[in-house]
Structures are given as structure tokens and as C-alpha cells.
Amino acid sequence: GGAAAVLIYHSRPLETYPEEWLREYVNSIAHQTFRDYDVWELDYSDNLSVNVSLVNRYKMQAPRRYTWLKEHHRTHSEAINRLLDIIQPFHYEAVFNTHVDDFYDSQRFALQFYHLTKGGRDMVSSGFQYIHSSHELPLLKQPGQIFEYHSLLHP
């Protein structure tokens, strides 16, 4: 028990973001203390002749299973919805949404998994830091902070 899914989805990341950002993003997923997860990566670019696997490019070893998909989608929202449809039959206990322009504290997945499976929450967000256009990678300020969407949506 305890399996989770990590979602990676992008369109033309090598054209959009500096290489160091992408490497830091993948490394922050690879170095999570919570290790019971499958990685699902979707390249949703309309350029079907260019295939980008960030997991393979930065030599990340998925703890359990790695699945790479190439399907064109017009928007980021369409892409994540497609990934959610694909993983639904696996009945994961938690799903970690990631963004290629963020990087994560090493405790993010462990903290979120706990709050999703034992803390009575349906959705949480925590332990990420935006990468700024200055190309500098800032330190995480509050890696353990949990934002409760239930209380944000229902004050």
C-alpha cells in the first residue's frame, strides 16, 4: 500500500526554460524522501517529431514505474486532465502534481502523502518554490507549510 503517482507534463520545455531550471526540477523529484511512487510524464507538444523525456534527459530513476506518453493537447489543463484519466484505473492513494518551473523540498511528497492519507484532507499544496526569471534558484522558505484548499474555498 501507499502508492502514489507523480505527474510531469510539458510542451516544449527545452525551448521555454533554462536547462539548469529543468535539471533542478527533475532532481527535486528524484530526491524525495517518500519513494513509493510511479512517474507519469506527458509531452503534449504539437511537434510530433520532437520527443522530450525530462526523466531520461536528466537520468532520473523512478522509484517504481516510469511511463512516458506523447499526445498533442492544446492546453496545460487538457494535458493534466488526460493524465488524470489515464491513471484513474490505478487507484493511487495520492497524486502529486508538478510543474517544470518549480522545484520541491525533499519532504514535499512525504508531507503531502501523510496529509492526504491520514490527515483527512482531499487536496493539499506545499513545499514548492517558484524559479524566478533571474535564473537564480532560491532556497525554499517554508518547506513544511500546508495550504488547505478546503478552508481556502470554504472560509
Side-chain angles (χ1 to χ4, degrees):
V6 173
L7 305 184
I8 297 173
Y9 48 109
H10 50 74
S11 176
R12 302 176 186 263
L14 302 174
E15 298 172 24
T16 307
Y17 303 105
E19 188 90 18
E20 66 197 71
W21 292 15
L22 297 171
R23 184 178 299 106
E24 184 66 25
Y25 161 72
V26 171
N27 285 340
S28 73
I29 294 170
H31 293 105
Q32 291 294 309
T33 58
F34 179 87
R35 304 297 300 158
D36 196 8
Y37 62 86
D38 296 335
V39 176
W40 294 83
E41 182 173 2
L42 171 61
D43 176 351
Y44 67 91
S45 165
D46 60 349
N47 186 344
L48 299 179
S49 65
V50 175
N51 299 316
V52 176
S53 165
L54 296 177
V55 167
N56 289 337
R57 183 177 186 87
Y58 300 110
K59 298 175 178 35
M60 176 186 161
Q61 296 294 316
R64 291 170 31 115
R65 174 179 42 213
Y66 171 63
T67 304
W68 181 86
L69 304 157
K70 174 72 174 193
E71 296 180 1
H72 170 59
H73 295 281
R74 293 183 311 243
T75 67
H76 206 60
S77 297
E78 282 182 15
I80 189 171
N81 283 322
R82 175 65 176 137
L83 269 178
L84 290 170
D85 286 343
I86 291 168
I87 69 167
Q88 194 276 335
F90 291 86
H91 302 287
Y92 290 108
E93 288 189 72
V95 176
F96 304 122
N97 185 30
T98 68
H99 299 278
V100 298
D101 59 348
D102 296 338
F103 68 98
Y104 306 102
D105 179 81
S106 64
Q107 295 291 317
R108 177 194 177 212
F109 294 173
L111 179 69
Q112 289 184 347
F113 190 82
Y114 171 80
H115 284 283
L116 289 168
T117 59
K118 305 208 180 3
R121 294 177 176 94
D122 294 328
M123 182 175 14
V124 297
S125 180
S126 68
F128 69 93
Q129 178 66 49
Y130 294 111
I131 300 174
H132 300 286
S133 59
S134 67
H135 294 243
E136 293 181 23
L137 298 172
L139 295 175
L140 287 167
K141 294 183 178 86
Q142 294 179 314
Q145 185 175 3
I146 285 284
F147 299 99
E148 297 185 51
Y149 282 93
H150 180 75
S151 61
L152 292 174
L153 296 174
H154 307 283

